[in-house]
């Protein structure tokens, strides 16, 4: 999708939250920031250690509990005063898709390659999910051409038809949160970070 003329990915603002999504602290953002701030959190030594610790846990229930208690998260679709659709300050022009429960690492890499080379939607940020069995994919949407929910449904259908990818239907809300983790192969739009 071509960027709308007034959209600048380097200025898209999201809310970043510390660990404890179900705690009172998980309702108010720790800070407002850009995808560069998200990148800096994701490439920290602390998040690398937490990600390794999470993936060393074998029990799925214990993994989920660790993630909920220990991992920071972000609301990619906007800047919030508190984590609820009514707390939206400004939409970021971004939308995050969660493709989870993939069979193995080869399947994760197949999905990542398909998303990164999609002809219609640009990858702004992409990483393997915290537990290692899925993909988190962030792309730009043009809110002058549809609502947040319309875009979510349309892109989800595009992924299904083009690649047979089933994105999770739950993150359709503008206030949906996404847990962050360390990923040595994190993909980020080069306009944000020029290597």
């Amino acid at each position: 999708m071509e960027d709308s003329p007034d959209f600048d990915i380097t200025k898209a603002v999201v809310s970043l939250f510390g660990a404890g999504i179900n705690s009172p602290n998980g309702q108010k953002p720790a800070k407002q920031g850009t995808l560069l701030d998200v990148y800096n959190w994701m490439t920290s030594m602390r998040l690398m250690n937490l990600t390794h610790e999470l993936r060393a846990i074998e029990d799925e229930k214990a993994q989920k509990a660790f993630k909920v208690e220990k991992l920071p998260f972000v609301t990619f679709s906007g800047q919030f005063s508190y984590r609820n659709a009514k707390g939206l300050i400004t939409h970021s022009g971004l939308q995050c898709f969660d493709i989870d429960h993939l069979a193995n690492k080869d399947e994760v890499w197949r999905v990542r390659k398909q998303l990164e080379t999609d002809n219609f939607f640009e990858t702004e940020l992409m990483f393997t999910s915290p537990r290692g069995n899925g993909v988190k994919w962030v792309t730009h949407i043009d809110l002058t051409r549809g609502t947040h929910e319309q875009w979510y449904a349309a892109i989800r259908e595009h992924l299904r038809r083009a690649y047979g990818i089933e994105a999770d239907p739950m993150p359709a809300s503008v206030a949906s949160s996404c847990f962050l983790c360390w990923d040595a192969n994190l993909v980020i739009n080069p306009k944000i970070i020029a290597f």
Side-chain angles (χ1 to χ4, degrees):
M1 180 175 99
E2 270 185 42
D3 284 341
S4 49
D6 56 347
F7 182 76
D8 180 352
I9 187 59
T10 65
K11 294 183 179 160
V13 178
V14 300
S15 291
L16 293 96
F17 297 76
I21 194 168
N22 294 327
S23 72
N25 288 342
Q27 306 312 306
K28 294 197 90 138
K31 70 180 281 185
Q32 310 294 347
T34 64
L35 287 187
L36 179 58
D37 294 304
V38 173
Y39 173 86
N40 288 334
W41 276 27
M42 292 184 72
T43 56
S44 71
M45 188 65 74
R46 175 163 168 68
L47 204 50
M48 181 179 77
N49 292 335
L50 285 169
T51 303
H52 288 317
E53 192 176 342
L54 169 65
R55 291 182 183 169
I57 299 169
E58 293 184 15
D59 179 69
E60 186 176 333
K61 190 174 178 181
Q63 279 185 331
K64 287 180 181 178
F66 181 95
K67 184 172 73 167
V68 163
E69 185 181 328
K70 304 279 187 181
L71 293 185
F73 58 98
V74 63
T75 51
F76 280 114
S77 290
Q79 179 181 7
F80 290 80
S81 58
Y82 58 94
R83 191 171 51 90
N84 180 296
K86 292 179 181 175
L88 179 66
I89 299 167
T90 308
H91 200 291
S92 63
L94 301 173
Q95 206 161 59
C96 180
F97 291 83
D98 184 4
I99 299 97
D100 227 339
H101 308 295
L102 298 174
N104 52 46
K105 288 183 182 179
D106 288 341
E107 187 71 1
V108 168
W109 283 107
R110 181 187 68 78
V111 168
R112 285 181 63 141
K113 184 172 178 69
Q114 288 173 322
L115 295 173
E116 191 173 3
T117 58
D118 185 82
N119 291 326
F120 297 101
F121 299 97
E122 186 173 37
T123 297
E124 306 298 357
L125 182 75
M126 181 171 54
F127 57 99
T128 298
S129 65
R131 293 172 52 219
N133 64 345
V135 176
K136 309 290 185 181
W137 181 58
V138 180
T139 190
H140 166 61
I141 58 172
D142 182 354
L143 293 170
T144 66
R145 296 173 52 204
T147 67
H148 176 93
E149 293 77 12
Q150 287 169 330
W151 274 110
Y152 195 87
I155 296 173
R156 194 166 173 263
E157 183 63 19
H158 165 70
L159 297 179
R160 182 185 301 117
R161 288 184 183 197
Y163 311 113
I165 293 172
E166 287 294 331
D168 188 342
M170 293 304 290
S173 165
V174 70
S176 293
S177 55
C178 176
F179 287 107
L180 299 179
C181 66
W182 178 84
D183 183 350
N185 298 295
L186 181 147
V187 175
I188 191 163
N189 185 318
K191 292 175 190 169
I192 299 164
I193 298 190
F195 291 100

